[in-house]
């Protein structure tokens, strides 16, 4: 495709235009990173309160309990518990993972890795950030309402989320906040998709793009198509709450021609299942690249990986019914959804095998980004397998709404995406902020995260398999649950350990950015990889590329014995050296 | 770089971006229609409760107005000299559409069809509100185009005209579908 070069703009000079209302994709990416890390901490604190309640029901939350819940002597009250798991889920999915993986890495990586000077619509990009800012503020504001924030779960099914289930403004603000978030995501998606299609540097074919870009691009396509579906659902629910329509109200009124609560579930999951792939695809892309970079080998089956990711993207649009097996669908439908869901394991298995193929006989460098990537391989493997159990209708009738599901989606979504996000952060840190983070601390961070993480989520699957339901304030009022208290305490201790380990990261992160001014800047290419962003200075200059690069080979050309350059890798701008 | 290629490239960029944008907006309305079909076909009778005096004339008129405004916008894009006139007509027709919707809501209310009366009123009100909100967006875009036209601004490119036009025609098509679903079928 004809390529047209973007002009180099003058460097911004004032604080205002440089850090706040910046048009620069790199700055906007960093803004999203800060935003995501902030919400990660908020959501993490909420998780601690949830876990504490499940391990020690009726015992005051340590340290800050008395401050937060004075009227109960520091014990998390039941209605607050519902609010906590709702806000935890919402915050982690929409306000932590999405901004970090899509907002931060999407923004930062796309132009740099395809050889462009910026996104195609910089103003839209800035607007997208400020919309998500507004949405975050609304969500946090809803925590201060007299009746509390939303408490109907992140899925906000009616009737939990209608005026019957949730009086007050909390749920309404939640709806508006998510709608704004959706607007922001859609703006981002339009920008990312168009940028990838039209701004690739000369020679950067689709099959020469790094897999990171593949992941983010496919995610954006899903975003553009399915976030508006959620938007429609949110608006109709808002109408029900505020203006008195009855789209999702039923009950006795069903006979008088009211609406249908299950309709919301359809709308939610038509969006919701693609959404889980929206979250994981960027992480898959990043990990696919990093495995090759640090195994010093070409990505095994690069094209197959890209195509399997595409297949998964397509299939993910037609499997949403597996979240609704228990809603009295016709068996014909459940069987079809089950078959389609199982079909996804074929492309998943292909790219997973490709990951292993990449590692096979590699000369692996165990730097921190690689450790985290290997972590993703492990936790995603486990999480993906548990999905198959849930996909099978007969098993799911038992497992649905138990902690097994919670374990499943934390392994696939929380753990994989979190570790993938850390891998990306450690990897691109030198290019983003000019200096790499401390490796020793990073490795400590990895092990201190990885071990408790598995304790938490395996524990959840065990208690779920034993029949513990999710979203119960105190499951132990059922006698048969009592034997599960020790495992729940184990999960809680693991969670506290993992939470504390994140301070290692925070310390390292802040230290590198703010308190390392005297240390030298990182070299252009500290990890010795060949993608375009590593040929420009660290940190990347505001115009990215002085001259637009001409791409001649793929992103993973490693370990070619015929290379005469003294390096074991090729830059993407170099003519491919044949391997005989 | 020759300017022809730059023009082609800009055309591609604008078309891609606008296609994605319209797919997004389209999915919003498609979801509404999906909801409509699910509710309708799961209901043993339609309408589930007898609805009397559903206004017919007003929505028919708004459909006409919407169609006309698409025609005038098309002419606005086509010819230079009558640009201002065509822009004015489009904008007035857009406003007229909003006014008609407003009177539709009034007519519904005065014939006893209130928002909270159940499924059919929910659909009629909810869908028309959402569509009207998008018409407001469209009018804002038209106003912006109008400013550029009247100020003879050099930044008024054929791409801007094209994009706003696509959005406006899209809203027309959505309205036609809504009209057929709610008032005709
Ligand atoms: C490998 C293939 C996968 C299969 C076969 C699969 C299957 C399923 C099934 C059947 C359920 C419904 C369980 C129930 O509610 O009873 C489920 C729930 C869920 N899955 Fe997966 N899954 C897979 C991968 C993933 C991935 C990659 C993610 C995220 C990145 C993910 C995230 C979720 C979430 C968030 C839920 C539950 C949401 C909720 O109810 O709150 N899954 N999965
Ligand atoms: Cu799913």
């Amino acid at each position: 495709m004809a390529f047209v070069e973007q002009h180099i703009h003058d460097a911004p000079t004032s604080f205002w235009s440089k850090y706040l209302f910046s048009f620069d994709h790199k700055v906007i990416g960093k803004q999203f990173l800060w935003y995501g890390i902030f919400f990660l901490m908020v959501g993490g604190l909420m998780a601690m309160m949830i876990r504490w309640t499940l391990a020690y029901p009726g015992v005051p939350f340590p340290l800050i309990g008395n401050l937060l819940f004075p009227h109960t002597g520091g014990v998390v009250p039941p209605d607050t518990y519902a609010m906590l798991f709702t806000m935890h889920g919402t915050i982690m999915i929409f306000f932590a993972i999405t901004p970090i993986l899509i907002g931060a890495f999407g923004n930062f990586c796309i132009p740099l890795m395809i050889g462009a000077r910026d996104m195609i619509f910089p103003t839209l990009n800035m607007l997208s950030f400020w919309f998500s800012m507004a949405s975050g503020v609304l969500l946090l504001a809803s925590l201060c309402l007299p009746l509390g924030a939303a408490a109907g779960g992140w899925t906000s099914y009616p009737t939990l989320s209608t005026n019957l289930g949730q009086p007050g403004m909390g749920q309404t603000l939640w709806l508006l906040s998510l709608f704004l978030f959706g607007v922001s995501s859609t703006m981002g998606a339009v920008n990312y998709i168009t940028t990838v299609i039209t701004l690739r540097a000369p020679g950067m074919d689709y099959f020469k793009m790094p897999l990171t870009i593949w992941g983010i691009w496919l995610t954006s396509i899903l975003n553009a198509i399915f976030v508006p579906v959620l938007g429609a659902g949110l608006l109709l629910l808002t109408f029900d709450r505020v203006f008195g329509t009855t789209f999702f109200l039923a009950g006795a009124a069903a006979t008088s021609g009211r609406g249908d609560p299950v309709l919301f579930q359809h709308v939610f999951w038509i969006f919701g299942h693609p959404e889980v792939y929206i979250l994981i695809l960027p992480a898959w892309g990043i990990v696919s690249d990093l495995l090759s970079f640090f195994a010093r080998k070409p990505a095994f089956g690069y094209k197959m990986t890209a195509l399997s990711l595409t297949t998964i993207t397509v299939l993910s649009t037609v499997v949403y019914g597996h979240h609704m097996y228990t809603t009295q669908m016709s068996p014909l439908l459940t069987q079809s959804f089950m078959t389609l869901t199982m079909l996804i394991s074929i492309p998943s298995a292909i790219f997973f095998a490709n990951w292993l193929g990449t590692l096979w006989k590699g000369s692996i460098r165990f730097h921190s980004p690689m450790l985290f990537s290997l972590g993703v391989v492990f936790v995603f493997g486990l999480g993906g397998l548990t999905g198959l159990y849930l996909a099978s209708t007969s098993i799911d009738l038992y497992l649905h709404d138990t902690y097994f599901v919670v374990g499943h989606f934390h392994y696939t979504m929380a753990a994989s995406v979190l570790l993938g996000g850390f891998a990306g952060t450690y990897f691109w840190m030198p290019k983003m902020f000019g200096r790499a983070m401390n490796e020793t601390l990073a490795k400590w961070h990895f092990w201190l995260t990885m071990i408790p993480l598995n304790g938490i989520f395996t524990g959840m699957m065990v208690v779920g398999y034993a029949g513990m339901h999710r979203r119960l304030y105190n499951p132990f009022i059922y006698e048969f649950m009592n034997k599960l208290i020790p495992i729940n305490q184990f999960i809680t201790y693991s969670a506290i350990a993992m939470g504390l380990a994140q301070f290692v990261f925070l310390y390292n992160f802040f230290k590198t950015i703010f308190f390392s001014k005297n240390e030298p800047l990182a070299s252009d290419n500290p990890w010795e990889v060949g993608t375009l962003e590593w040929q420009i200075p660290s940190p990347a200059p505001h115009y990215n590329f002085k001259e637009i690069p001409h791409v001649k080979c793929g992103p993973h050309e490693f370990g070619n014995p015929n290379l005469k350059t003294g390096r074991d890798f090729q830059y993407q701008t170099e003519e491919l050296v044949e391997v005989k | 770089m020759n300017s022809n290629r730059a023009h082609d490239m800009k055309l591609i960029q604008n078309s891609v971006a606008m296609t994605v944008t319209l797919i997004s907006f389209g999915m919003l309305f498609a979801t509404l229609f999906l909801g409509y079909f699910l509710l309708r076909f799961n209901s043993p009778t339609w309408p589930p409760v007898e609805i009397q005096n559903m206004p017919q004339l007003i929505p028919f008129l708004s459909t006409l107005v919407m169609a006309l405004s698409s025609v005038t916008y098309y002419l606005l894009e086509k010819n230079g000299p009558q640009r201002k006139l065509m822009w004015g007509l489009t904008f007035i027709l857009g406003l007229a559409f909003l006014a008609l919707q407003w009177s539709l809501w009034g007519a519904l209310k005065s014939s006893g069809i209130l928002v909270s009366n159940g499924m059919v009123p929910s659909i009629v009100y909810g869908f028309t509100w959402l569509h009207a909100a998008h018409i407001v967006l469209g009018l804002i875009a038209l106003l912006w185009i109008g400013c550029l036209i009247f100020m003879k601004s050099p930044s008024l490119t054929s791409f801007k005209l094209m994009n706003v036009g696509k959005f406006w025609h899209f809203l027309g098509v959505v309205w036609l579908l809504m009209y057929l679903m709610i008032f005709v079928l």
Side-chain angles (χ1 to χ4, degrees):
Chain A
M1 182 180 293
F3 178 79
V4 173
E5 197 175 312
Q6 288 166 296
H7 302 291
I8 294 187
H9 292 285
D10 297 330
T13 43
S14 70
F15 177 81
W16 204 248
S17 60
K18 203 164 163 186
Y19 295 112
L20 277 179
F21 295 100
S22 170
F23 294 97
D24 184 342
H25 72 100
K26 296 181 290 299
V27 178
I28 297 174
K30 288 180 206 167
Q31 289 174 326
F32 271 117
L33 187 63
W34 288 113
Y35 179 96
I37 290 177
F38 169 74
F39 274 106
L40 210 53
M41 295 197 287
V42 179
L45 181 66
M46 291 176 167
M48 292 303 140
M49 295 192 233
I50 298 171
R51 276 319 316 170
W52 183 261
T53 313
L54 286 177
Y56 299 103
V59 179
F61 188 71
L63 302 178
I64 53 173
N66 265 316
L67 209 75
L68 292 173
F69 320 110
H71 46 290
T72 55
V75 181
V76 177
D79 51 344
T80 307
Y81 179 79
M83 190 183 96
L84 282 174
F85 69 65
T86 302
M87 295 303 266
H88 164 74
T90 309
I91 285 179
M92 286 306 200
I93 292 172
F94 299 109
F95 296 88
I97 294 179
T98 309
I100 293 179
L101 267 292
I102 305 174
F105 292 127
N107 260 310
F108 190 79
C109 296
I110 292 179
L112 283 178
M113 291 184 113
I114 64 173
R117 293 219 164 97
D118 204 326
M119 286 287 175
I120 184 149
F121 306 118
T123 320
L124 192 67
N125 208 8
M126 179 179 80
L127 267 181
S128 158
F129 176 73
W130 286 103
F131 264 85
S132 64
M133 200 66 174
S135 123
V137 169
L138 265 190
L139 194 79
L140 288 180
S142 78
L143 284 171
C144 315
L145 292 170
L147 286 179
W154 81 279
T155 49
S156 73
Y157 285 176
T159 49
L160 294 176
S161 55
T162 56
N163 283 332
L164 293 175
Q166 261 269 286
M169 278 297 285
Q171 185 71 41
T172 311
L173 277 192
W174 184 94
L175 291 164
L176 293 182
S177 160
L178 253 75
F179 186 76
L180 284 184
F181 159 86
V183 174
S184 148
S185 277
T186 319
M187 287 175 170
V190 172
N191 214 347
Y192 291 6
I193 296 173
T194 316
T195 304
V196 171
I197 292 180
T198 60
L199 284 188
R200 279 167 295 125
M204 179 65 88
D205 307 333
Y206 285 102
F207 285 112
K208 287 206 178 83
M209 294 196 306
L211 288 164
T212 305
I213 303 301
W214 268 96
I216 294 169
W217 188 54
L218 292 170
T219 277
S220 312
I221 294 175
L222 285 178
N223 252 336
I225 301 177
F226 289 104
V227 169
V229 176
L230 174 70
L234 296 175
L235 288 174
L236 295 188
L237 191 52
T238 311
F239 289 172
D240 274 11
R241 291 183 61 87
V242 181
F243 301 120
T245 55
T246 59
F247 287 104
F248 305 123
L249 291 182
T255 44
S256 64
R258 300 274 186 112
D260 180 3
V262 178
L263 177 61
F264 186 85
Q265 297 195 20
H266 283 288
V267 171
F268 187 87
W269 288 115
I270 289 176
F271 150 81
H273 185 82
E275 168 71 11
V276 306
Y277 285 91
I278 286 169
L279 299 172
I280 193 76
L281 276 163
W284 281 345
I286 290 173
V287 168
S288 308
D289 274 340
L290 294 190
L291 288 178
S292 152
F293 293 165
F294 289 91
R296 314 307 292 172
K297 269 184 65 192
F300 185 86
Y302 164 83
K303 221 174 196 171
M304 276 313 281
T305 306
L307 290 177
S308 346
L309 295 186
T310 314
T311 316
I312 294 176
T313 307
V314 175
L315 281 178
S316 78
T317 61
V318 289
V319 300
Y320 78 90
H322 63 217
H323 296 274
M324 298 170 62
Y325 287 152
T326 52
T327 54
Q328 298 185 323
M329 288 188 194
S330 84
L332 185 67
L333 267 180
T334 54
Q335 295 293 313
S336 326
F337 277 125
M338 170 169 139
T339 314
L340 287 167
T341 306
M342 299 270 183
L343 270 184
I344 292 199
S345 16
I346 299 174
S348 310
I350 293 179
F351 86 77
F352 198 82
N354 284 350
W355 281 359
L356 301 181
T358 305
L359 293 172
W360 182 253
K361 291 191 170 176
S363 35
I364 299 179
R365 297 181 179 172
F366 288 101
H367 293 306
S368 50
M370 183 60 166
L371 285 181
F372 279 95
S373 304
L374 291 172
V376 175
V377 175
F378 181 76
V379 296
F380 180 72
L382 266 179
L385 280 179
T386 55
L388 287 175
Y389 294 86
L390 296 173
S392 148
T393 317
S394 44
I395 306 180
D396 187 62
L397 291 183
Y398 170 67
L399 288 177
H400 178 66
D401 260 350
T402 64
Y403 256 83
F404 191 86
V405 176
V406 180
H408 157 72
F409 71 70
H410 277 88
Y411 256 121
T412 45
M413 185 160 76
S416 306
V417 176
L418 196 71
L419 295 181
F422 281 132
T425 311
Y426 284 114
F427 181 70
W428 278 294
M429 194 71 184
K431 202 53 72 184
M432 278 189 173
F433 293 100
R435 290 179 186 85
M437 281 194 256
N438 181 310
E439 266 293 294
T440 319
L441 283 179
K443 285 178 182 166
W444 273 103
H445 174 219
F446 173 72
W447 290 109
L448 291 177
T449 303
M450 185 70 181
I451 296 169
L453 179 151
N454 283 286
I456 303 169
F457 301 130
T458 313
M460 284 184 176
M461 290 206 270
V462 173
V463 292
Y465 199 72
M468 181 168 138
H469 264 234
R470 66 196 282 201
R471 293 176 176 170
L472 293 186
Y473 174 59
N474 182 358
F476 311 112
I477 53 168
Y478 301 105
E479 205 173 312
F480 76 103
M481 288 276 91
N482 276 329
K483 291 208 180 83
L484 296 180
I485 291 183
I487 308 187
N488 272 296
Q489 289 174 340
F490 168 75
I491 301 175
T492 299
Y493 287 127
S494 308
I496 293 172
M498 182 176 150
L500 289 178
Q502 304 320 306
F503 286 100
V504 179
F505 169 79
L506 286 178
Y507 170 79
N508 203 352
F509 189 71
F510 278 91
K511 174 135 193 303
T512 312
I513 296 175
F514 295 113
F515 305 104
S516 304
K517 296 275 183 269
N518 304 326
E519 281 159 42
L521 286 176
S523 64
D524 291 2
N525 191 1
W527 309 111
E528 303 186 295
V529 295
T531 47
L532 297 175
E533 80 273 27
W534 299 106
Q535 277 179 298
I536 57 174
S538 306
H542 78 272
Y543 47 80
N544 294 357
F545 301 94
K546 213 172 266 151
E547 264 153 49
I548 294 296
H550 281 244
V551 175
K552 305 211 175 78
C553 68
H556 313 109
E557 299 299 340
F558 289 97
N560 180 344
N562 292 345
L563 273 181
K564 300 281 184 292
T565 48
R567 294 187 248 113
D568 71 337
F569 67 97
Q570 279 194 271
Y571 282 110
Q572 280 198 273
T573 48
E574 293 170 343
E575 205 68 63
L576 185 66
V577 177
E578 289 298 324
V579 192
K580 284 199 202 73
Chain B
M1 184 194 332
N2 77 42
S3 65
N4 235 343
R5 233 186 69 187
H7 179 272
D8 288 356
M9 197 58 207
K10 271 233 156 313
L11 183 66
I12 294 174
Q13 288 169 348
N14 277 281
S15 311
V16 172
M18 207 53 205
T19 309
V20 180
T21 310
L22 289 185
I23 288 178
S24 290
F25 279 110
M27 284 305 285
L28 184 90
F29 289 107
T31 310
L32 298 187
F33 297 160
L34 174 83
Y36 169 84
F37 283 114
L38 282 178
L39 289 175
R40 177 156 189 171
F41 291 110
N42 283 330
S43 168
T45 56
W46 193 266
V49 183
E50 202 49 55
I51 301 275
Q52 249 133 40
N53 310 325
M54 181 74 102
Q56 289 295 341
L57 181 65
I58 301 176
F60 177 71
L61 286 181
S62 24
T63 313
L64 273 187
V65 166
M66 204 62 214
L68 264 181
S69 75
S70 264
V71 174
T72 51
Y73 195 93
Y74 175 78
L75 295 175
L76 155 69
E77 247 186 292
K78 276 281 153 276
N79 66 8
Q82 281 178 321
R83 230 176 209 187
K84 287 183 186 164
L85 173 67
M86 286 306 155
W87 177 84
L89 283 177
T90 317
F91 194 73
I92 289 171
L93 286 169
L95 286 177
F97 178 83
L98 270 191
L100 280 168
Q101 296 302 78
W102 189 263
S103 63
L104 170 68
W105 298 325
L108 283 167
K109 207 162 148 194
S110 56
S111 54
I113 306 174
L114 302 179
V115 179
S116 53
N117 278 6
M119 203 139 73
V120 172
S122 294
I123 288 174
V124 179
Y125 281 103
F127 288 16
T128 48
W129 286 337
L130 278 182
H131 183 262
H134 286 81
I135 290 287
V136 172
L137 284 186
L139 284 175
I140 293 173
L142 276 179
L143 208 57
W144 171 61
I145 290 287
C147 288
L148 295 181
I149 290 178
F150 281 96
M151 282 157 34
K152 296 205 172 62
S153 159
S155 71
L156 177 70
T157 57
S158 62
F159 305 119
K160 283 180 186 151
L161 280 176
M162 180 183 85
N163 291 339
V164 173
K166 279 182 183 168
F167 187 62
W168 192 255
H169 300 317
F170 164 81
L171 290 181
V173 174
V174 170
W175 173 250
L176 183 67
L177 292 176
M178 275 188 185
Y179 172 67
L180 291 176
M181 265 183 234
I182 301 176
F183 297 100
V184 179
L185 297 176

